[in-house]
Amino acid sequence: MDQIKIGKFIAQIRKERNMTQLDLANILGVTDRAISKWENGRGMPEISLIKPLCDALSISVNELFCGERISDEHFTVKAEENIVNTLTYSKNKIIKTRIILISILVSILLVITLISTLFAVDIDRMRNNEPVFFSTWGIDYTPPIDLQDEEIEYAIRNYLVEQGDNEEKHEDGVKTFVAIKTYLIESVDTDGKYNVYAWVLQKQCYLKNNEVLEYSAFSIPFKFTVKENENKNSFTVEESRFPSDGYYTEDMKELFPKSVINEMNKLHKDGSFEKLEIEIDEKKQLYFHK
């Protein structure tokens, strides 16, 4: 069944009868857009409209399905062709409908499988005290806060402050202030030992005539080796290393992973250094003007 040919035939007969699309639409009780759709070959009339359409155009159903006028001697042959074409068209339409239904069912199954998988992942993350990926499950869950990284950084700050405060001081008394940006904390072994790669900004200041003056300062990368204490609630810095002045590039490659070096190279570009300075300034204000 050739929808394009049938559409052109409907338009041809309609025009021969001096009918507009709207005239034909009013006769059949449809919109003129439906008539336009048929004539452009983008659809076929419903079964209930086939006979009224043929009556309105004074053509036979056989001629409609052929998309042309049929002489009496060819009527039987064309009728048989139309029956075969109609059956084929109906069969193809059924197959197409089945394909669409199967596609919809497969899509639904895939969505269900995906949701089930994501839900299983979130359940597993909750069991491991990790945050869930989605908050739409209707589950009110908040994992316990892991303070290990904060405790490690706290131990490093205390270590640096103690080292600074134990150095020879200015006659007016010097206080050490430390700010760090941690790039990576990696476990070294199962005994609670960690390597910590961080950038340290340290300033030593003193107060004179009610003015905070700077005694010394440095800004360098550090590699710390930290070990968890037996009480499991604190850490101790066992070793600290930093690149020496004469062998800075070589020491950086030896002490730090390449990914950490790449991130440290952004320190003065991404605002990290400015944040460290702000942290130091806040500590100075709290200490000297409390």
Side-chain angles (χ1 to χ4, degrees):
M1 186 180 298
D2 189 339
Q3 289 186 190
I4 301 294
K5 185 178 180 181
I6 292 173
K8 289 181 178 180
F9 181 59
I10 293 174
Q12 174 192 335
I13 301 302
R14 173 182 60 77
K15 293 173 182 177
E16 288 177 0
R17 297 181 62 80
N18 294 319
M19 297 171 64
T20 65
Q21 289 184 341
L22 184 58
D23 293 336
L24 182 58
N26 290 334
I27 294 173
L28 300 177
V30 297
T31 65
D32 56 343
R33 292 179 62 184
I35 304 298
S36 175
K37 182 178 179 182
W38 302 343
E39 293 183 352
N40 290 321
R42 291 185 287 108
M44 286 288 291
E46 295 180 3
I47 297 297
S48 60
L49 294 175
I50 296 295
K51 189 65 169 61
L53 174 62
C54 291
D55 292 343
L57 298 177
S58 297
I59 59 175
S60 67
V61 174
N62 203 16
E63 289 175 322
L64 175 66
F65 286 158
C66 283
E68 60 182 356
R69 293 287 189 180
I70 304 173
S71 60
D72 292 339
E73 61 268 22
H74 295 120
F75 185 85
T76 302
V77 175
K78 290 294 184 180
E80 291 177 352
E81 289 180 359
N82 285 334
I83 292 173
V84 173
N85 290 336
T86 302
L87 291 174
T88 302
Y89 176 81
S90 300
K91 181 180 179 181
N92 290 338
K93 197 167 185 179
I94 292 172
I95 292 174
K96 184 178 180 180
T97 303
R98 286 179 177 175
I99 292 174
I100 293 173
L101 289 174
I102 292 173
S103 299
I104 293 173
L105 288 174
V106 170
S107 299
I108 293 173
L109 289 174
L110 287 175
V111 171
I112 293 174
T113 302
L114 178 61
I115 293 175
S116 301
T117 302
L118 293 175
F119 185 76
V121 170
D122 274 349
I123 292 296
D124 183 65
R125 291 180 67 83
M126 286 189 285
R127 288 173 180 167
N128 290 283
N129 293 326
E130 298 176 353
V132 297
F133 285 129
F134 300 93
S135 59
T136 56
W137 306 118
I139 300 174
D140 185 13
Y141 174 77
T142 303
I145 298 175
D146 186 1
L147 298 176
Q148 177 177 280
D149 290 357
E150 285 76 8
E151 290 168 350
I152 290 176
E153 291 183 357
Y154 178 78
I156 292 174
R157 287 192 187 93
N158 284 345
Y159 167 80
L160 292 169
V161 169
E162 288 179 7
Q163 293 288 317
D165 287 346
N166 288 334
E167 295 173 357
E168 183 178 350
K169 295 299 179 291
H170 188 270
E171 59 182 7
D172 292 304
V174 173
K175 177 60 182 174
T176 303
F177 301 96
V178 172
I180 66 173
K181 176 175 175 58
T182 303
Y183 288 93
L184 176 64
I185 299 176
E186 62 178 5
S187 177
V188 178
D189 54 36
T190 57
D191 296 330
K193 187 175 290 188
Y194 300 87
N195 282 335
V196 182
Y197 305 96
W199 194 281
V200 175
L201 175 62
Q202 177 176 301
K203 292 185 178 182
Q204 292 183 320
C205 302
Y206 63 94
L207 188 65
K208 187 172 184 178
N209 298 326
N210 206 32
E211 182 181 1
V212 179
L213 301 177
E214 192 171 293
Y215 176 66
S216 68
F218 66 73
S219 173
I220 54 176
F222 269 86
K223 174 186 177 182
F224 299 97
T225 301
V226 180
K227 183 174 177 59
E228 188 174 19
N229 296 327
E230 292 183 1
N231 60 13
K232 303 293 184 181
N233 292 322
S234 60
F235 294 83
T236 300
V237 177
E238 292 189 336
E239 182 184 29
S240 62
R241 298 178 62 190
F242 54 87
S244 57
D245 291 337
Y247 301 92
Y248 185 87
T249 303
E250 292 79 0
D251 288 351
M252 285 292 291
K253 292 180 180 179
E254 177 186 349
L255 295 175
F256 300 94
K258 185 176 181 180
S259 59
V260 172
I261 295 175
N262 291 337
E263 289 301 312
M264 285 182 171
N265 288 336
K266 303 175 185 176
L267 181 77
H268 294 279
K269 300 177 182 178
D270 61 8
S272 296
F273 184 77
E274 287 76 8
K275 289 182 65 176
L276 295 178
E277 288 193 311
I278 291 173
E279 183 179 338
I280 292 285
D281 290 340
E282 289 176 347
K283 292 179 178 179
K284 285 161 51 179
Q285 289 297 321
L286 287 172
Y287 183 79
F288 289 111
H289 300 290
K290 57 186 176 180

